Amino acid sequence: MGPSNPDKDFPYWLVLLGGLMVWMFYQVWANDLYSQVMGTLSKGIRITVLVTLIGFFMASLTGLILAVMSLSRSIILRQIARFYIEIVRGIPIIVLLLYVAFVVAPAVVYAINWALEPLGADPWRTRDFPLLWRATLALAIGYSAFIAEVFRAGIQSVEPGQIEAAEALGLSRWQRFRQIVFPQAIRTILPPLGNDFVAMVKDSSLVSVLGVSDITQLGKVTAAGNFRYFETYNIVALIYLTLTITLSLGLRRLERQMRDKPH
């Protein structure tokens, strides 16, 4: 009996989930309460998407830099990268959010004022650093450590012999990375990187603890006002499911295309 191929399974789970979501969207269309709640919560979708896209871009860029540092020939760079990764991975995201919002942000404002004081510029105030950007920065910092490990594992999955052959051909380190290493590493990197992207969509709900008006925060405010917790949080869950399932299916399709693409 040969190994099973999950890619060829009929997606019964998707049919069941799709039916449930269709029923929920029908309720939004037919029920005035559901429709009103959806209209209110839809205003938070832009914030959730904005926080996720900017945060993930910053986290991916930082993670790639950290991965390169962790594989550097310099022990100093390797130790700096490892120090950052281990510290950040050990702190819960919600604690990191609060720390960045109420410790790092005031420290940054103080440093900016200290630098601008000799120039006679108007001083910054802590409230000039919006909570939205503090939350986005915290998510980027938190996820960068995990994404760094994803990039590192992907880069190390490339056969050393290919890198040595490229070096023998006279390719520079940047050329070796761009033409040899990264195109092959991305096949290993993409699945866990996609998982982190979907996870950040969900973890973006944590910015609600800072009062940022994302989907979750608007849901809490709406439920506290109308006392219809069942209907309100059904819509909150529906919006997040729509975002994450759409992303997951798109990433799975992209992953399958890259796997089937000839090397």
Side-chain angles (χ1 to χ4, degrees), residues 132-148:
L132 173 63
W133 296 111
R134 301 186 207 186
T136 304
L137 177 62
L139 282 176
I141 292 172
Y143 269 80
S144 65
F146 296 97
I147 291 176

Side-chain angles (χ1 to χ4, degrees), residues 47-59 136 197 200-201:
I47 297 297
T48 294
V49 172
L50 179 69
V51 167
T52 302
L53 290 179
I54 296 178
F56 193 76
F57 173 78
M58 294 169 60
T136 304
F197 188 36
M200 185 178 278
V201 173

Side-chain angles (χ1 to χ4, degrees), residues 150-244:
V150 171
F151 278 121
R152 180 190 59 77
I155 292 171
Q156 288 185 314
S157 70
V158 178
E159 289 291 335
Q162 297 192 42
I163 301 174
E164 293 168 1
E167 189 174 2
L169 291 173
L171 297 181
S172 66
R173 295 186 67 180
W174 166 245
Q175 288 175 321
R176 293 198 300 272
F177 179 80
R178 182 172 60 87
Q179 298 177 18
I180 305 297
V181 176
F182 193 75
Q184 297 183 64
I186 194 64
R187 299 172 187 269
T188 304
I189 290 169
L190 186 61
L193 193 64
N195 288 338
D196 283 338
F197 188 36
V198 173
M200 185 178 278
V201 173
K202 297 186 295 181
D203 280 347
S204 68
S205 63
L206 294 174
V207 306
S208 63
V209 303
L210 301 180
V212 176
S213 297
D214 71 323
I215 299 167
T216 303
Q217 175 65 8
L218 292 179
K220 290 193 296 184
V221 172
T222 301
N226 62 16
F227 299 103
R228 304 300 293 266
Y229 295 95
F230 179 78
E231 293 86 352
T232 300
Y233 285 113
N234 273 347
I235 298 299
V236 171
L238 176 64
I239 294 173
Y240 278 112
L241 270 175
T242 302
L243 291 173
T244 55

Side-chain angles (χ1 to χ4, degrees), residues 2 16 23 46 66 78 102 127 140 178 191 230:
L16 179 61
W23 180 81
R46 183 180 66 87
L66 287 168
R78 293 199 303 271
F102 301 115
R127 65 183 182 183
R178 182 172 60 87
F230 179 78

